[in-house]
Amino acid sequence: QDDCSEFRSQFEAGGRLSCTRENDPVRDASGKQHTNKCLMCADKFKKEAQRGQYGGTGQRNRLPTSERTNQ
C-alpha cells in the first residue's frame, strides 16, 4: 500500500506536487521504481486527478446539474 498521506495536503488540483530531486529510490505497488517517495506520490496524484478524483480536471470541467439542464 502506498502511503502518500503526508503529501496529500501539498498537492494542487490536477495532481501537481512540488518535490525535491533527492535520490532515495522507492517502488510503488505495481513495482515501478521512482527517484523518491514524493515523486512516486506525485505520479499517483496525477493519475487520480486524471480519473476525476480529488478535484482533478475530470470534475472541474463538468457543469453543475442545474446548469446542464438549462442549456
Side-chain angles (χ1 to χ4, degrees), residues 1-11 17 37-45 48:
Q1 178 180 353
D2 298 333
D3 182 19
C4 293
S5 60
E6 64 192 277
F7 298 105
R8 276 217 191 266
S9 64
Q10 300 171 28
F11 91 99
L17 179 64
K37 187 174 180 180
C38 182
L39 290 170
M40 177 186 73
C41 292
D43 189 45
K44 179 178 180 175
F45 297 155
E48 289 173 353

Side-chain angles (χ1 to χ4, degrees), residues 62-71:
R62 292 186 63 196
L63 290 173
T65 304
S66 60
E67 290 183 36
R68 276 186 267 154
T69 57
N70 293 335
Q71 291 183 351

Side-chain angles (χ1 to χ4, degrees), residues 11-57:
F11 91 99
E12 303 168 9
R16 292 189 195 97
L17 179 64
S18 296
C19 298
T20 62
R21 293 289 182 174
E22 66 190 73
N23 189 17
D24 187 13
V26 63
R27 291 189 187 275
D28 62 20
S30 70
K32 180 179 177 185
Q33 185 166 328
H34 300 269
T35 305
N36 59 46
K37 187 174 180 180
C38 182
L39 290 170
M40 177 186 73
C41 292
D43 189 45
K44 179 178 180 175
F45 297 155
K46 183 178 179 182
K47 289 176 183 173
E48 289 173 353
Q50 288 171 344
R51 289 191 307 258
Q53 298 174 355
Y54 305 108
T57 56

